Amino acid sequence: LYRQSLRCLLSWCIDRNIFNEEAEKIRARFDSVKSLDAGRGAVKSGEAELFKMMHPDPYALNYMPGGTKFMRNPVPPIEVQYPNGDAPESASTGTNTPVWPDMVPITWRPHMKGGLIDFGKKNME
């Protein structure tokens, strides 16, 4: 909830000094409810307040969905480069390596499956 609050704040505050001041206020609010009994009720009210304060167009990193550099100059898929299906094995190496939407080569994240993008939330799932 704390990280989500800071991300929400980042969407509203452009100036870093203002962001830091407001982040300190948020941290103080979280520190004030450290006890377990006070924390249970605070989580529900905090989630409701976070939902109320959500920005209609949240900030997105420039290389992620919704960012200014999202999929800038992506590598064309192998199927487009070789429409007859006769792609050599060396075709998916070097600069022709398929990439994730944030332009990271697929080989760097072998544990991830698919590249589904939720453009409404501006994230990959």
Side-chain angles (χ1 to χ4, degrees):
L1 186 60
Y2 177 68
R3 286 181 64 191
Q4 291 174 344
S5 300
L6 291 180
R7 286 185 183 143
C8 178
L9 179 63
L10 183 62
S11 295
W12 288 104
C13 294
I14 298 171
D15 186 18
R16 197 63 164 171
N17 293 329
I18 295 173
F19 174 82
N20 289 339
E21 291 173 13
E22 295 299 320
E24 287 177 9
K25 292 177 186 176
I26 291 174
R27 180 77 248 171
R29 288 181 66 188
F30 273 86
D31 288 341
S32 68
V33 291
K34 279 189 174 179
S35 69
L36 187 60
D37 295 334
R40 288 187 180 132
V43 169
K44 288 186 180 183
S45 63
E47 287 175 345
E49 184 177 348
L50 178 65
F51 182 74
K52 185 178 88 173
M53 297 298 293
M54 290 300 285
H55 197 279
D57 187 23
Y59 176 79
L61 295 172
N62 58 358
Y63 55 83
M64 294 302 285
T68 56
K69 291 184 178 180
F70 175 63
M71 291 300 286
R72 186 183 290 182
N73 303 321
V75 177
I78 300 294
E79 299 83 30
V80 173
Q81 294 178 7
Y82 300 95
N84 297 332
D86 56 348
E89 289 189 26
S90 62
S92 60
T93 61
T95 58
N96 289 329
T97 303
V99 294
W100 292 105
D102 58 356
M103 302 303 292
V104 173
I106 288 179
T107 56
W108 289 13
R109 298 179 186 150
H111 61 281
M112 290 181 65
K113 296 179 182 173
L116 298 178
I117 300 166
D118 185 350
F119 284 96
K121 295 180 183 175
K122 296 184 179 179
N123 66 5
M124 290 179 12
E125 293 187 7

